[in-house]
C-alpha cells in the first residue's frame, strides 16, 4: 500500500512532519538567525511537529555543536548526509539518492528547501504523493554569485569553463524554482527574501508570481531592550570599550562581492572624523580579513576580529551601533543580504551601506518610514502589520508603560498574532512623538475618539496630534486618520495644520478608516475586505496605495474616495453591523416565544448572499469600543443634520434591552429574588479572543445583578485584569470551574472556545444548582441537558426546555404556545429594573 493511502487526511497537513533541507551554509554566519531561529520558532509554536533538519555538510556539524545550537531539541532532529562538491551534478544526484531513501521512510511530510541547491536535490527526491507542501526558499542566486566569485579574465579556456559552470548553476536554479509538474498541484511555493528577488525570479526564470511569497516570517526577531542593554555592557567590557565608543560591525564572509576593502575604507573614513570609533569584525574568515586589515594599515587598537559561536551573534551585535553591509555594484547587489541587514536592525543598529542594494536603500530611507501615533488595539496592529512587509515603522504613544512593555517584547493588549509581529526588527517604539513625526513620510493617527455625553465623538486628542504634526513637520507628510472621526474632521485637521504649520511644505490628509475586528485584527488588517483611501490628493492616494500593495493587498480591494465619504463609510458600516446584531437579537427573542431555533433561522436566512451569515449571532447585545460609540455618533450627526435615523435609534434601544433580557432569563432559571444568589459569570470581554472590556455586555449585566443583591464570581481567560479596574469588588476566579463553585447559575457571556468544551461532569457537582444560561449558544445543548443541567439560551429556549421544535404556522397549538407566559416584551422587562 502506498504510504499515504492510509493517511490521506494526515498528508493534507503534512502529517505534522517538517523536513528542512539545507545543502550547505551551516557554517555560515547567518545559519543561527536564518535557519535555526525560524525552526525553533516553529518548534515552539507547534510542539507536536517533528522537524528533521537535513544537511549535506556532515563534517561541520558534530553532536556537541548540535547540542549547543539547540539545547532543547526534543522535536528537532538533525540528519546529516554526505556531499560531493567536486562531482558537479553527479554529486548532486548522489545527494538526491540519500535524501530520497530518507523521505521514503516518512509517510507524509512538508518540505522546505533552503536555496536552489537544496531545492534541486529535494525536488528530485520528494514523492509528490507523500509531500504535502514543498517550499524552496530563494535567498541568493548561485549563477550570479559564481560569476562574481570567478571573474573569467582573458584566459579563453578558463572563460569557457566559467561560462559552462554558470550555465549549469542557472539550470539548477531554474529547475529549483520551476519544479516538475506533479509538484505544482497547489503544493509548491517559493519564499523570496525580498520583493526585489521575487521580481527577479519572475522576470529571469519565468517563475509563476502566484507561487512566490515573501519570507517575512524568517526575519530575525528584535532583541528586547533589557536584554540588549545587558549584553551591550557585557561585550563592551570584554572588548574594553567605553559606553561612548561608536562601534561599527561587519559580520560576514570575505567574498569579493562583499567588499571587505570597502568596509575597511569606510571605517577608516569614519575614524578620521571620530577617533572614538571601533570596528568589530565577526567572520569565519579571520585570516583573510586580517590580511585586508593589514594591507589597509588599520591600527589594531581600532578593531577586533573574531569568530563567534552562531548563537552569540545577537549578543555581539548588541554591543554595536552601526552595521555595515557593502556589496559590489552588480545585479545581485539589489537583492542580497537583506536578512543580515535585518539582523543588524534586530539589535537596533543603524545600517551603513554603499547604495548598491535597492532594498536596503528602501529600508533606510527616512521617507519610507511610517509613524503610527497611538499604539492601542488599532495602532499596534497597523504598525506591526506594516513592518511585517518590510517597511520601517515607528510606533509612538504617550503611555510610557505601554512603550516600555513593547520595547521589551510584551504586548500590552491581548490580540492573537500581535506578540510575534511586535518582534519585527523594523519596528521601533517610542514616547517621542516629535521624532516619529519628523522621520516619517506617512503618519497614521490611531488615537482614541471616545464618546462624549451628547453622543458625539471627542476628537480633542486627534486635534492635539494634528497640532503636533503641523509644528514638527519639516517636509511633505501624509496624515492618515485611522481613528474613527466624525464626518468633516479631516477639514478640521487640515485647518489646524494650516494654522500651525511652519514652512510651505504640503501636508495631505487622508481618511483611512479601519475595519479590523478585535480578536482577528491581524488577519483583518492583512486580508481586508476593502481599503478605503479618502483624499483629494493623487500623490497621497498613490503613496498609501503602494503601502497596501506592498502588504499584499489586492489592488481591486483599494477604493479611492474623497475624505467625507471615507469618514461616512466607517460610521455607516459599523451602524449596519450593530443593526444586524440588534435585528437578530430581536428575532431570537421572538423565536423563543414561538419555539423556533434561532440558529436554524439565522443560518437559513444568512445563506442568502444578499444577507450573509456573519453578525447574525444572537447574544447579550453588542459592546466594545466601537459599535456603541460609533452608532451614537452617527445618531448625533444625523440629528444635527435634521435627518434623524429612526432605525438606528431602535437598534440602540434593543441593544440596551437585551442586557435586561439576560437578567430576566437568569431570574426565570433561579427565581425572582437574586439577593444572596451566587452567579458565575463566564466571559467578561465584549467578545472572544480579546481582553477588551470597553462597553462589554458583562459590565452592564453584572451591574444589574449586583443591584439586585446577587454575588458574582467571574472568570475570563484574558479580560479579568481590565475588568478589575471597572469592577474591583466582585470575585475573580482562576477558571470556569472555580467560578462555578457554589453557584446557583453559570452564565456564559463571551463566546470563548474553552466554554464550548467545558467538562460538564466536573462542573455539575461544583454548583449549588446545576443551571446554565448560555447567551452565546456555544455550549452544546444536548450535552448540557444530558449532564443534568437546567438550561436556557438566547433564541433556543424551546430546545433548552425540550419542547417540540416544529413551528406550526397559524394553528391552535401555536396560539397555545404564544398564550403561555413565556417572555415578556422588552419594554416590560426593562420596567422591572428601573
Ligand atoms: P486604544 O485606546 O486602544 O488606543 C489608543 C492609544 O492612543 C492608547 O495607547 C493611548 O495611550 C494613545 N494615545 C492617547 N493620547 C495620545 C496622544 N496624544 N498621542 C499619542 N498617543 C495617544 O484605542 P483603539 O481601540 O486602538 O482605537 C483607536 C481609534 O481607532 C478610535 O478612534 C477607534 O474608534 C478606532 N477604531 C477602533 C477599532 C477597534 O476595534 N478597537 C476598530 C476600528 C477603529
Amino acid at each position: 500500500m502506498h504510504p499515504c493511502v492510509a493517511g490521506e487526511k494526515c498528508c493534507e497537513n503534512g502529517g505534522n512532519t517538517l523536513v528542512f533541507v539545507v545543502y550547505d551554509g551551516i557554517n555560515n554566519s547567518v545559519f543561527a538567525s536564518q535557519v535555526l531561529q525560524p525552526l525553533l520558532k516553529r518548534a515552539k509554536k507547534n510542539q507536536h511537529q517533528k522537524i528533521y533538519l537535513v544537511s549535506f555538510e556532515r563534517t561541520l556539524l558534530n553532536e556537541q555543536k548540535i547540542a549547543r545550537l539547540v539545547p532543547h531539541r526534543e522535536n528537532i532532529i538533525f540528519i546529516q548526509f554526505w556531499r560531493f562538491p567536486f562531482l558537479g551534478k553527479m554529486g548532486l544526484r548522489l545527494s538526491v539518492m540519500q535524501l530520497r531513501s530518507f523521505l521514503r521512510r516518512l509517510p507524509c511530510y512538508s518540505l522546505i528547501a533552503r536555496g536552489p541547491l537544496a531545492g534541486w536535490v529535494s525536488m528530485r527526491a520528494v514523492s509528490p504523493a507523500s509531500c504535502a507542501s514543498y517550499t524552496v526558499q530563494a535567498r541568493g542566486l548561485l549563477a550570479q554569485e559564481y560569476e562574481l566569485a570567478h571573474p573569467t579574465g582573458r584566459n579563453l579556456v578558463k572563460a569557457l569553463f566559467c561560462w559552462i559552470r554558470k550555465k549549469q548553476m542557472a539550470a539548477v536554479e531554474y529547475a529549483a524554482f520551476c519544479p516538475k509538474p506533479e509538484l505544482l498541484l497547489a503544493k509548491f511555493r517559493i519564499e523570496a527574501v525580498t520583493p526585489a528577488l521575487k521580481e527577479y525570479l519572475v522576470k529571469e526564470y519565468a517563475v509563476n508570481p502566484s507561487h512566490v511569497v515573501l519570507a517575512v516570517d524568517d526575519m530575525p526577531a528584535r532583541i528586547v531592550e533589557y536584554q540588549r542593554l545587558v549584553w551591550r555592557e557585557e561585550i563592551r567590557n570584554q572588548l574594553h570599550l567605553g559606553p561612548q565608543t561608536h562601534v561599527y560591525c561587519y559580520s560576514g564572509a570575505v567574498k569579493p562581492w562583499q567588499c571587505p576593502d570597502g568596509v575597511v575604507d569606510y571605517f577608516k573614513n569614519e575614524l578620521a572624523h571620530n577617533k572614538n570609533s571601533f570596528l568589530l569584525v565577526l567572520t569565519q574568515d579571520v585570516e583573510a580579513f586580517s590580511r585586508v586589515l593589514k594591507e589597509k594599515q588599520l591600527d589594531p587598537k581600532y578593531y577586533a576580529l573574531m569568530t563567534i559561536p552562531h548563537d552569540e551573534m545577537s549578543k555581539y551585535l548588541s554591543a554595536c551601533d552601526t552595521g555595515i553591509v557593502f556589496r559590489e555594484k552588480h545585479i545581485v547587489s539589489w537583492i542580497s543580504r537583506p536578512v543580515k541587514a535585518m539582523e543588524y536592525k534586530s539589535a537596533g543598529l543603524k545600517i551603513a551601506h554603499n547604495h548598491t542594494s535597492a532594498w536596503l536603500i528602501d529600508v533606510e530611507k527616512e521617507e519610507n518610514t511610517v509613524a503610527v501615533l497611538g499604539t492601542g488595539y488599532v495602532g499596534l496592529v497597523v504598525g506591526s502589520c506594516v513592518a511585517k512587509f518590510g517597511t520601517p515603522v515607528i510606533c509612538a504613544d504617550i503611555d510610557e508603560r505601554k512603550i516600555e512593555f513593547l520595547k521589551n517584547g510584551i504586548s500590552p493588549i491581548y490580540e492573537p498574532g500581535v506578540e510575534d509581529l511586535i518582534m519585527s526588527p523594523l519596528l521601533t517604539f517610542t514616547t517621542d512623538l516629535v521624532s516619529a513625526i519628523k522621520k516619517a513620510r506617512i503618519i497614521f493617527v490611531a488615537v482614541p475618539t471616545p464618546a462624549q455625553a451628547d453622543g458625539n465623538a471627542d476628537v480633542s486628542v486627534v486635534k492635539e496630534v494634528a497640532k503636533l504634526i503641523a509644528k514638527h513637520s519639516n517636509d511633505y507628510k501624509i496624515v492618515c486618520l485611522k481613528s474613527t472621526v466624525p464626518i468633516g474632521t479631516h477639514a478640521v485637521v487640515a485647518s489646524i495644520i494650516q494654522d500651525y504649520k511652519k514652512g510651505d511644505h504640503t501636508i495631505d490628509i487622508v481618511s483611512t478608516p479601519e475595519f479590523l475586528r478585535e480578536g482577528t485584527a491581524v488577519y483583518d488588517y492583512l486580508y481586508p475586505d476593502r481599503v478605503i483611501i479618502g483624499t483629494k490628493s493623487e500623490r497621497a492616494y498613490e503613496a498609501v496605495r503602494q503601502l497596501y500593495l506592498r502588504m499584499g493587498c489586492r489592488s481591486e480591494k483599494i477604493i479611492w474616495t474623497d475624505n467625507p465619504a471615507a469618514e461616512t463609510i466607517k460610521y455607516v458600516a459599523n451602524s449596519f453591523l450593530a443593526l444586524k446584531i440588534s435585528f437578530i437579537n430581536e428575532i431570537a427573542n421572538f423565536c423563543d416565544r414561538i419555539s423556533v431555533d434561532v440558529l436554524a433561522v439565522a443560518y437559513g436566512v444568512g445563506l442568502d448572499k444578499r444577507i450573509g451569515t456573519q453578525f447574525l449571532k444572537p447574544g447579550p447585545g453588542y459592546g466594545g469600543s466601537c459599535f456603541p460609540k460609533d452608532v451614537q455618533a452617527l445618531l448625533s450627526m444625523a440629528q444635527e443634520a435634521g435627518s434623524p435615523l429612526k432605525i438606528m435609534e431602535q437598534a440602540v434601544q434593543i441593544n440596551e434591552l437585551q442586557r435586561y433580557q439576560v437578567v430576566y432569563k437568569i431570574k426565570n432559571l433561579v427565581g425572582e429574588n437574586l439577593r444572596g444568589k451566587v452567579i458565575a459569570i463566564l466571559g467578561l470581554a465584549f467578545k472572544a479572543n480579546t481582553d477588551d472590556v470597553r462597553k462589554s455586555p458583562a459590565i452592564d449585566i453584572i451591574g444589574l445583578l449586583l443591584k439586585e443583591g446577587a454575588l458574582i464570581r467571574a472568570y475570563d481567560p484574558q479580560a479579568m485584569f481590565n475588568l478589575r479596574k471597572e469592577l474591583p469588588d466582585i470575585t475573580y476566579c482562576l477558571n470556569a470551574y472555580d467560578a462555578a463553585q457554589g453557584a446557583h447559575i453559570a452564565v456564559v457571556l463571551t463566546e470563548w472556545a474553552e466554554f464550548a468544551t467545558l467538562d460538564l461532569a466536573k462542573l455539575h457537582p461544583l454548583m449549588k444548582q446545576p443551571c446554565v444560561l448560555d447567551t452565546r449558544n456555544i455550549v452544546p445543548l444536548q450535552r448540557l441537558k444530558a449532564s443534568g443541567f437546567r438550561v436556557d439560551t438566547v433564541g433556543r429556549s424551546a430546545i433548552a426546555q425540550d419542547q417540540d421544535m416544529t413551528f406550526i404556522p397559524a394553528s391552535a397549538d401555536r396560539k397555545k404556545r404564544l398564550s403561555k407566559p413565556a417572555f415578556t416584551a422588552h419594554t416590560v422587562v426593562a420596567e422591572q429594573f428601573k
Side-chain angles (χ1 to χ4, degrees):
M1 185 166 64
H2 188 272
C4 229
V5 176
E8 209 120 274
K9 216 161 174 80
C10 94
C11 218
E12 277 167 24
N13 61 14
N16 230 355
T17 300
L18 173 72
V19 181
F20 194 95
V21 185
V22 283
Y23 200 72
D24 55 5
I26 287 189
N27 210 26
N28 203 314
S29 68
V30 287
F31 175 73
S33 63
Q34 287 186 25
V35 177
L36 270 185
Q37 270 184 24
L39 275 185
L40 289 171
K41 212 156 77 178
R42 271 170 182 272
K44 204 171 144 199
K45 255 191 194 162
N46 184 352
Q47 307 213 338
H48 302 295
Q49 188 174 51
K50 203 171 214 177
I51 299 176
Y52 293 98
L53 176 55
V54 177
S55 86
F56 291 85
E57 242 186 278
R58 194 176 182 95
T59 49
L60 294 170
L61 203 64
N62 56 33
E63 266 303 311
Q64 221 180 350
K65 205 166 181 181
I66 293 171
R68 226 164 50 74
L69 286 172
V70 195
H72 312 288
R73 60 194 166 99
E74 287 82 40
N75 50 356
I76 298 190
I77 300 148
F78 282 72
I79 308 280
Q80 294 176 74
F81 294 129
W82 294 109
R83 89 181 147 125
F84 311 91
F86 304 112
L87 296 182
K89 268 201 182 168
M90 187 59 161
L92 286 181
R93 289 213 172 87
L94 290 171
S95 305
V96 172
M97 283 162 63
Q98 295 173 83
L99 183 61
R100 190 183 288 154
S101 107
F102 166 72
L103 292 177
R104 271 208 195 109
R105 281 176 268 148
L106 301 177
C108 318
Y109 53 86
S110 292
L111 188 139
I112 300 176
R114 187 176 179 277
L117 283 180
W120 193 94
V121 170
S122 306
M123 188 190 78
R124 278 159 177 78
V126 298
S127 148
S130 348
C131 181
S133 72
Y134 171 52
T135 307
V136 185
Q137 296 183 337
R139 284 166 187 274
L141 293 166
L142 279 177
Q144 297 286 357
E145 291 200 352
Y146 184 82
E147 190 177 341
L148 277 172
H150 302 275
T152 50
R154 285 210 205 127
N155 182 334
L156 259 182
V157 181
K158 199 175 156 200
L160 184 66
F161 175 76
C162 287
W163 183 81
I164 294 170
R165 195 84 181 100
K166 196 190 160 199
K167 287 279 162 209
Q168 278 181 342
M169 293 203 178
V172 167
E173 272 166 10
Y174 181 84
F177 298 128
C178 303
K180 46 187 183 178
E182 307 94 276
L183 283 174
L184 285 175
L185 298 163
K187 290 177 171 181
F188 170 69
R189 67 175 196 159
I190 300 168
E191 281 182 2
V193 241
T194 64
L197 181 51
K198 172 174 174 172
E199 209 179 296
Y200 182 83
L201 292 172
V202 171
K203 274 196 194 139
E204 288 295 307
Y205 289 121
V207 169
N208 182 343
S210 67
H211 288 148
V212 191
V213 293
L214 291 180
V216 278
D217 290 336
D218 281 6
M219 293 293 177
R222 189 163 48 85
I223 303 166
V224 298
E225 186 79 346
Y226 81 91
Q227 182 66 83
R228 196 174 70 81
L229 295 175
V230 170
W231 281 342
R232 189 177 175 85
E233 202 180 325
E234 182 188 328
I235 300 299
R236 281 187 175 232
N237 283 344
Q238 183 189 319
L239 297 170
H240 307 293
L241 298 172
Q244 301 306 325
T245 309
H246 192 104
V247 180
Y248 292 82
C249 177
Y250 174 76
S251 156
V254 191
K255 291 174 185 160
W257 60 91
Q258 291 177 342
C259 309
D261 299 280
V263 171
V264 182
D265 286 341
Y266 167 80
F267 175 71
K268 281 180 84 174
N269 192 33
E270 295 297 298
L271 190 64
H273 292 105
N274 175 12
K275 281 286 166 221
N276 198 5
S277 301
F278 190 83
L279 177 65
L280 176 62
V281 180
L282 306 173
T283 182
Q284 308 282 341
D285 305 332
V286 172
E287 260 180 47
F289 213 105
S290 72
R291 272 199 299 276
V292 178
L293 287 160
K294 274 188 197 130
E295 268 166 33
K296 295 280 172 188
Q297 295 176 346
L298 185 63
D299 187 336
K301 72 176 180 195
Y302 291 116
Y303 68 84
L305 201 53
M306 319 174 76
T307 301
I308 54 158
H310 303 303
D311 50 349
E312 293 200 356
M313 181 60 79
S314 304
K315 209 170 180 179
Y316 280 83
L317 290 184
S318 295
C320 306
D321 302 290
T322 301
I324 307 172
V325 190
F326 273 20
R327 304 301 278 174
E328 276 285 337
K329 198 163 184 57
H330 188 272
I331 187 72
V332 288
S333 303
W334 48 264
I335 51 173
S336 53
R337 301 216 89 193
V339 182
K340 177 51 74 185
M342 285 305 97
E343 209 170 83
Y344 288 151
K345 283 241 163 231
S346 71
L349 272 61
K350 278 199 215 121
I351 298 177
H353 57 91
N354 55 351
H355 298 277
T356 53
S357 164
W359 185 78
L360 262 185
I361 295 169
D362 267 10
V363 168
E364 281 298 284
K365 255 192 197 163
E366 292 219 327
E367 64 184 49
N368 286 331
T369 299
V370 164
V372 181
L373 309 183
T375 55
Y377 288 89
V378 171
L380 191 56
V381 171
V382 170
S384 44
C385 287
V386 171
K388 178 180 162 91
F389 286 88
T391 303
V393 178
I394 308 169
C395 286
D397 201 294
I398 51 164
D399 188 332
E400 286 177 11
R401 192 185 131 268
K402 244 181 205 182
I403 294 299
E404 208 47 44
F405 267 44
L406 288 163
K407 279 183 177 173
N408 285 303
I410 303 164
S411 170
I413 56 165
Y414 174 77
E415 182 61 50
V418 159
E419 270 308 327
D420 284 346
L421 293 182
I422 59 170
M423 296 312 289
S424 164
L426 288 171
L427 264 180
T428 33
F429 296 100
T430 181
T431 48
D432 184 356
L433 271 73
V434 171
S435 81
I437 290 167
K438 282 186 177 161
K439 280 187 187 153
R441 165 65 36 96
I442 296 179
I443 303 168
F444 283 105
V445 175
V447 294
T449 49
Q452 300 182 111
D454 62 0
N456 280 310
D458 177 357
V459 289
S460 55
V461 185
V462 174
K463 287 183 183 169
E464 213 179 282
V465 164
K467 256 186 230 169
L468 211 62
I469 295 173
K471 282 185 190 165
H472 298 285
S473 346
N474 36 11
D475 197 357
Y476 175 60
K477 303 277 173 195
I478 300 167
V479 178
C480 293
L481 297 174
K482 273 273 161 218
S483 297
T484 305
V485 289
I487 301 150
T489 304
H490 68 279
V492 177
V493 169
S495 91
I496 291 174
I497 285 180
Q498 207 48 45
D499 290 350
Y500 287 86
K501 190 171 64 129
K502 293 174 198 148
D504 54 6
H505 52 275
T506 307
I507 300 182
D508 281 325
I509 315 294
V510 181
S511 302
T512 45
E514 186 46 58
F515 301 98
L516 57 79
R517 295 161 299 172
E518 287 173 25
T520 50
V522 172
Y523 178 88
D524 292 347
Y525 194 73
L526 294 179
Y527 305 98
D529 289 337
R530 78 297 207 192
V531 172
I532 307 289
I533 304 178
T535 179
K536 277 192 192 142
S537 157
E538 192 164 349
R539 183 180 179 186
Y541 165 71
E542 199 44 41
V544 179
R545 192 177 91 95
Q546 285 304 330
L547 187 72
Y548 275 94
L549 291 179
R550 196 167 176 173
M551 286 190 278
C553 179
R554 299 220 309 271
S555 61
E556 68 271 21
K557 301 263 179 190
I558 299 174
I559 292 157
W560 188 6
T561 68
D562 58 9
N563 298 76
E567 288 168 338
T568 313
I569 287 169
K570 173 66 191 170
Y571 280 107
V572 175
N574 271 5
S575 298
F576 187 75
L577 293 172
L579 184 67
K580 233 175 149 183
I581 294 174
S582 280
F583 176 77
I584 198 65
N585 279 337
E586 228 181 11
I587 294 297
N589 299 335
F590 168 59
C591 283
D592 275 338
R593 291 210 65 193
I594 58 172
S595 303
V596 168
D597 180 352
V598 73
L599 294 193
V601 173
Y603 183 62
V605 169
L607 285 181
D608 185 330
K609 284 198 196 76
R610 294 166 301 177
I611 298 171
T613 47
Q614 290 202 31
F615 282 77
L616 279 186
K617 293 195 177 91
Y622 62 77
S625 67
C626 292
F627 287 1
K629 97 173 154 72
D630 293 350
V631 173
Q632 280 303 345
L634 185 68
L635 280 172
S636 297
M637 285 185 273
Q639 191 72 37
E640 276 167 29
S643 178
L645 297 169
K646 298 270 180 245
I647 194 166
M648 288 318 301
E649 284 169 13
Q650 283 297 309
V652 172
Q653 215 186 353
I654 292 165
N655 196 56
E656 282 167 9
L657 294 171
Q658 195 65 8
R659 316 292 208 238
Y660 292 100
Q661 186 75 342
V662 171
V663 179
Y664 181 81
K665 280 175 175 272
I666 293 173
K667 287 186 169 186
N668 260 1
L669 287 166
V670 298
E672 199 53 38
N673 183 4
L674 295 182
R675 187 152 299 280
K677 296 258 165 67
V678 179
I679 299 182
I681 298 289
L682 306 185
L684 304 170
F686 81 95
K687 61 186 286 196
N689 298 322
T690 180
D691 59 353
D692 198 347
V693 296
R694 289 176 286 184
K695 296 278 172 205
S696 172
I699 296 179
D700 297 338
I701 291 165
I702 292 174
L704 291 173
L705 296 172
L706 288 174
K707 243 193 214 171
E708 299 255 331
L711 304 170
I712 304 296
R713 292 178 64 79
Y715 166 70
D716 186 287
Q718 295 293 338
M720 292 201 286
F721 179 79
N722 285 338
L723 197 79
R724 208 185 281 268
K725 292 180 216 153
E726 299 250 351
L727 295 173
D729 297 328
I730 60 174
T731 306
Y732 290 92
C733 302
L734 290 175
N735 52 42
Y737 306 101
D738 185 22
Q741 291 275 2
H744 292 81
I745 184 168
V747 184
V748 178
L749 286 184
T750 312
E751 69 280 25
W752 284 101
E754 67 174 72
F755 299 146
T757 52
L758 281 172
D759 180 346
L760 300 178
K762 184 173 164 188
L763 194 73
H764 190 286
L766 297 173
M767 298 182 70
K768 187 151 195 164
Q769 271 175 215
C771 222
V772 171
L773 170 61
D774 178 11
T775 69
R776 300 285 188 167
N777 293 312
I778 55 155
V779 193
L781 262 178
Q782 298 310 331
R783 271 187 54 218
L784 274 169
K785 286 194 290 181
S787 307
F789 284 90
R790 279 190 68 211
V791 192
D792 200 3
T793 61
V794 173
R796 310 186 79 204
S797 292
I799 311 183
Q801 288 150 27
D802 259 330
Q803 288 183 12
D804 174 14
M805 286 301 295
T806 323
F807 176 48
I808 309 156
S811 73
D813 187 4
R814 176 175 164 245
K815 270 186 209 142
K816 205 167 93 194
R817 268 190 237 157
L818 287 175
S819 63
K820 73 181 177 192
F823 297 109
T824 334
H826 271 318
T827 29
V828 182
V829 182
E831 284 304 314
Q832 285 183 306
F833 294 93
K834 279 189 179 149

